[in-house]
Amino acid sequence: MELLKGLPLRRTFLAVTLNLLALTLSTTALLGSYWCTGTQKVPKPLCGKSKASQCVGVPMPSDEDAGNVSSEDVVHYSWETGDDRFAFRYFHTGMWLSCEESMDGPEEKCRSFIELSPPAERGILWLSLGSEMLYISLLLISFILLMVEILHTGNPVCGMKLNAFAAVSSVLSGLLGMVAHMMYTQVFQATVNLGPEDWRPHTWDYGWAFYMAWASFTCCMASAVTTLNTYTKTILEFKRNHIKGYDGSLKDQPQHHQCFIQQISSYYEPKGKVFHSVSEGVDFYTDLQQKILQREPELDLDEVLGQTIGEDRC
């Protein structure tokens, strides 16, 4: 039958696809620097020969009036109140770097986000980074197990074991990913309030990498549920086939197939069959005694015992 040749491939392929999507999204989010984006309110630089826009203009006196104007008046004018002397520069932050728009050119200025975070929160940030890396590692392990399950379809026992380990790995990775994302959010909010003065954002919001990380978590949990569903449905299919009289076709199957089906079927006996009781040992020796009486007198007890055990052995 098709069931003995391998686990249901459609659900396995779906689990592999979801796992690969989660792995791709999480890796891209970890390497990106767009978890949070926003603007920073910074003073405009003074206008000069190399800076004519987004700057504070200071009227310089002519050479004739240079002696009549003191330097204190010029300094007082350059620090006048009002929002016109401020500029709002764009910034984006990830787990590793925080980059800000430069007021002097199109290039960006990047700094380590670990150094920007408060010292009291750096331990949580490192724990978040470690959890994120472990999350990706477990996703990779789960993907490898699912691929081996697809390629190794000769033995259903090994396939079911691989399926179970892949499901456990996916669940653990999803939990670690959720914790990592929540810890990073806590560290960023603490950095907004307690970070350096020249970095604190004026307005901010979550970026595409943050949503990509949570989408990766969703795909990871969906892959875990699909894998568990494959395992459960395979067990139920064995039970149904056994109830319908599937035992008669075991003679044509390999030995490991017969053992696997008998092990699974022992948990799902039909209602019309007698369950094993505590007195199973007494019944065994009663049957053994009857066999000895029915056999020839010269038949040895050890031979009868060996034949009986061989019949019950899988």
Side-chain angles (χ1 to χ4, degrees), residues 10 29 34 43 78 124 204 230 307:
R10 291 185 179 179
Y34 285 86
S78 65
I124 300 178
W204 66 274
T230 303
Q307 294 176 4

Side-chain angles (χ1 to χ4, degrees), residues 248-263:
S249 61
L250 291 179
K251 299 179 181 179
D252 300 331
Q253 302 299 332
Q255 182 67 24
H256 60 269
H257 285 192
Q258 299 179 21
C259 294
F260 176 66
I261 295 173
Q262 292 178 6
Q263 291 171 6

Side-chain angles (χ1 to χ4, degrees), residues 88-108:
F88 298 92
R89 65 182 180 185
Y90 173 78
F91 82 98
H92 53 91
T93 304
M95 282 191 166
W96 301 100
L97 295 176
S98 177
C99 299
E100 302 118 22
E101 180 185 3
S102 177
M103 304 301 295
D104 300 328
E107 66 277 358
E108 291 182 339

Side-chain angles (χ1 to χ4, degrees), residues 213-250:
W214 281 106
S216 171
F217 165 76
T218 304
C219 293
C220 174
M221 297 308 295
S223 175
V225 171
T226 305
T227 308
L228 288 174
N229 177 263
T230 303
Y231 181 86
T232 306
K233 194 167 184 178
T234 304
I235 295 294
L236 294 177
E237 287 179 356
F238 272 107
K239 173 186 175 182
R240 182 185 60 187
N241 292 332
H242 176 69
I243 293 176
K244 289 182 178 180
Y246 186 72
D247 295 335
S249 61
L250 291 179

